[in-house]
Amino acid sequence: MTSPFFSRGLILLVGLCCLLPTTKTKYEKLYEDSSIDPFQCRKVALTVCNISITLFREMARLSANGNILFSPIRVIAAISMLSLGANGNLSKHILESLRFNKTGLPEAEIHKCFRYLLRPIHYSEEPSSLKSRSSVFIHQGLTSVDKFVKGVKDLYHSDIISINFTDSSRAKTQINNYVMEKSKGEIANMVKNMESDTFLAVVNYIIWNAKIFNNSGCRSVKMKDYHLGHGMTIKVPMIHTVGMNYLFRVEDLSSMVLSFTLLDVNITTYFILPDIGKMQKVEKSLTYPHFRRMRRQLSLSQMSDLDTPELSLSETHDLESVMSLLGITYVFNNDANSSVAMNDTVWKSFKVVSKAVLTMDEKGSRLGTNSCFKNDGSVDVTRVQFNRPFLIFIQDQTNDAPLFLGRVVNPKNYP
């Protein structure tokens, strides 16, 4: 007799690396699905945006001085997917903790909206810099729950793969090799360890290398000082541009905001630079409506002289802790009568790892090249240097899905 699908342990591994979305034309092709209402799905995207700010504030409270980086759409989608394998009470608990009950949408429609929101980052025309995949590894002796399997495939764009978890070390190697192969070698050792009683693994990754460009052709890259705080300064590659940029001030955040244009993609990127000494105040007061108001200011541009660091960030989060921050504790309660990881059995193991990696550099620049014009004083140029900690928010303009949110303290994780 086979074991119930959710009777043993669960390991969820969400690998997030630098994202490269598709072009607008590709998006339009992907969204040709008459069963999905984009307007309704924007309610889900808005909810993800709002809760991601709440989650960020909690992360910032726990880590006052380090880098923070995560992909809200990937983290929230991973948690939402868990509700597919839960009973009614637990499924309701998870979705309510994610505030999806406030959308007014039935549970089935919420999951269908993730199909809409995730599709652009799962599928792209080849060849493409986009590499994204989600796979569920199920122990070959387990009986599958049809609702979960169908939902994983159809709604969350995941493959179902049978694997023998009896030898946990070998299973870990198989999963790591699988991820290495599918990611074209860009993700190594996805699984660091695996408990002997693990019977389910979900591996989810997305890779993107962003290229920033400036239409003025006035740009250069030089090694310059970056101030980490507490009197510490390091040298990092800084992109220097002079030209028309979307640069504006948000007074109630005591911050300058820069919006970058990313090559051939329909994405809005915000760099938020708090005034000196105001970072914690900004983090505590930040809300998603701030970003909605910022978006309305993107019709305004001004001549600016900018220094922004090249980025190469990598952050790993224990998603179990993330769920606890969101109030999803029932899943980890041994007294619960049902959960995604057990079915009237003793709790075994539950491990969740989320990795986010983001790289951004300047397209076509050469170290030390300087083609910028010399200002004779006749033009009012705003000088802004992102040479100290700042916040970053990246959003898909097509469906409003939040792709990245974080705090940049050390732009290249230098020691």
Side-chain angles (χ1 to χ4, degrees), residues 5 9 51 119 162-163 169 329 345 396:
F5 181 53
I51 199 168
R119 187 180 294 175
S162 179
I163 190 173
S169 178
T329 57
T345 61
D396 184 343

PDB file of all heavy atoms in Angstrom, residues 5 9 51 119 162-163 169 329 345 396:
ATOM      1  N   PHE A   5      -0.036  11.065  -0.424  1.00  0.00           N
ATOM      2  CA  PHE A   5       0.869  12.015  -1.079  1.00  0.00           C
ATOM      3  C   PHE A   5       1.500  12.988  -0.094  1.00  0.00           C
ATOM      4  O   PHE A   5       2.672  13.293  -0.172  1.00  0.00           O
ATOM      5  CB  PHE A   5       0.076  12.774  -2.144  1.00  0.00           C
ATOM      6  CG  PHE A   5       0.879  13.762  -2.908  1.00  0.00           C
ATOM      7  CD1 PHE A   5       2.056  13.384  -3.519  1.00  0.00           C
ATOM      8  CD2 PHE A   5       0.455  15.072  -3.022  1.00  0.00           C
ATOM      9  CE1 PHE A   5       2.791  14.292  -4.240  1.00  0.00           C
ATOM     10  CE2 PHE A   5       1.190  15.981  -3.740  1.00  0.00           C
ATOM     11  CZ  PHE A   5       2.351  15.590  -4.352  1.00  0.00           C
ATOM     12  N   GLY A   9       7.449  14.076   4.673  1.00  0.00           N
ATOM     13  CA  GLY A   9       8.089  15.396   4.693  1.00  0.00           C
ATOM     14  C   GLY A   9       7.917  16.161   3.398  1.00  0.00           C
ATOM     15  O   GLY A   9       7.562  15.620   2.380  1.00  0.00           O
ATOM     16  N   ILE A  51       1.478  42.896   0.098  1.00  0.00           N
ATOM     17  CA  ILE A  51       2.010  42.015   1.130  1.00  0.00           C
ATOM     18  C   ILE A  51       3.535  41.917   1.043  1.00  0.00           C
ATOM     19  O   ILE A  51       4.219  41.688   2.038  1.00  0.00           O
ATOM     20  CB  ILE A  51       1.360  40.614   1.072  1.00  0.00           C
ATOM     21  CG1 ILE A  51       1.571  39.891   2.406  1.00  0.00           C
ATOM     22  CG2 ILE A  51       1.906  39.782  -0.076  1.00  0.00           C
ATOM     23  CD1 ILE A  51       0.732  38.652   2.559  1.00  0.00           C
ATOM     24  N   ARG A 119       3.330  33.151 -16.144  1.00  0.00           N
ATOM     25  CA  ARG A 119       3.592  32.640 -17.492  1.00  0.00           C
ATOM     26  C   ARG A 119       4.725  33.373 -18.208  1.00  0.00           C
ATOM     27  O   ARG A 119       5.598  32.726 -18.802  1.00  0.00           O
ATOM     28  CB  ARG A 119       2.310  32.691 -18.332  1.00  0.00           C
ATOM     29  CG  ARG A 119       2.459  32.014 -19.691  1.00  0.00           C
ATOM     30  CD  ARG A 119       1.172  32.082 -20.475  1.00  0.00           C
ATOM     31  NE  ARG A 119       0.121  31.303 -19.841  1.00  0.00           N
ATOM     32  CZ  ARG A 119      -1.134  31.289 -20.281  1.00  0.00           C
ATOM     33  NH1 ARG A 119      -1.476  32.013 -21.319  1.00  0.00           N
ATOM     34  NH2 ARG A 119      -2.042  30.557 -19.671  1.00  0.00           N
ATOM     35  N   SER A 162       8.953  11.884 -10.811  1.00  0.00           N
ATOM     36  CA  SER A 162       9.045  10.803  -9.825  1.00  0.00           C
ATOM     37  C   SER A 162      10.507  10.536  -9.489  1.00  0.00           C
ATOM     38  O   SER A 162      11.361  10.478 -10.379  1.00  0.00           O
ATOM     39  CB  SER A 162       8.396   9.532 -10.378  1.00  0.00           C
ATOM     40  OG  SER A 162       8.508   8.476  -9.446  1.00  0.00           O
ATOM     41  N   ILE A 163      10.811  10.406  -8.208  1.00  0.00           N
ATOM     42  CA  ILE A 163      12.187  10.218  -7.764  1.00  0.00           C
ATOM     43  C   ILE A 163      12.193   9.330  -6.526  1.00  0.00           C
ATOM     44  O   ILE A 163      11.214   9.288  -5.771  1.00  0.00           O
ATOM     45  CB  ILE A 163      12.854  11.590  -7.463  1.00  0.00           C
ATOM     46  CG1 ILE A 163      14.359  11.432  -7.244  1.00  0.00           C
ATOM     47  CG2 ILE A 163      12.185  12.272  -6.283  1.00  0.00           C
ATOM     48  CD1 ILE A 163      15.097  12.759  -7.118  1.00  0.00           C
ATOM     49  N   SER A 169      20.801  11.272   0.073  1.00  0.00           N
ATOM     50  CA  SER A 169      22.010  11.859  -0.511  1.00  0.00           C
ATOM     51  C   SER A 169      21.980  11.759  -2.029  1.00  0.00           C
ATOM     52  O   SER A 169      22.302  12.720  -2.741  1.00  0.00           O
ATOM     53  CB  SER A 169      23.256  11.148   0.031  1.00  0.00           C
ATOM     54  OG  SER A 169      24.425  11.674  -0.562  1.00  0.00           O
ATOM     55  N   THR A 329       1.354  30.048  10.416  1.00  0.00           N
ATOM     56  CA  THR A 329       1.967  29.194  11.435  1.00  0.00           C
ATOM     57  C   THR A 329       1.284  27.841  11.560  1.00  0.00           C
ATOM     58  O   THR A 329       1.855  26.889  12.062  1.00  0.00           O
ATOM     59  CB  THR A 329       1.919  29.895  12.804  1.00  0.00           C
ATOM     60  OG1 THR A 329       0.553  30.208  13.126  1.00  0.00           O
ATOM     61  CG2 THR A 329       2.718  31.186  12.771  1.00  0.00           C
ATOM     62  N   THR A 345      -0.515  11.924  10.523  1.00  0.00           N
ATOM     63  CA  THR A 345       0.714  11.233  10.879  1.00  0.00           C
ATOM     64  C   THR A 345       1.594  12.173  11.671  1.00  0.00           C
ATOM     65  O   THR A 345       1.361  13.374  11.751  1.00  0.00           O
ATOM     66  CB  THR A 345       1.485  10.787   9.623  1.00  0.00           C
ATOM     67  OG1 THR A 345       1.838  11.945   8.862  1.00  0.00           O
ATOM     68  CG2 THR A 345       0.663   9.854   8.769  1.00  0.00           C
ATOM     69  N   ASP A 396       6.887  44.244 -13.288  1.00  0.00           N
ATOM     70  CA  ASP A 396       6.441  43.979 -14.651  1.00  0.00           C
ATOM     71  C   ASP A 396       5.291  44.922 -14.967  1.00  0.00           C
ATOM     72  O   ASP A 396       4.237  44.868 -14.340  1.00  0.00           O
ATOM     73  CB  ASP A 396       5.993  42.521 -14.754  1.00  0.00           C
ATOM     74  CG  ASP A 396       5.596  42.107 -16.158  1.00  0.00           C
ATOM     75  OD1 ASP A 396       5.359  43.001 -16.989  1.00  0.00           O
ATOM     76  OD2 ASP A 396       5.528  40.896 -16.414  1.00  0.00           O
TER      77      ASP A 396
END
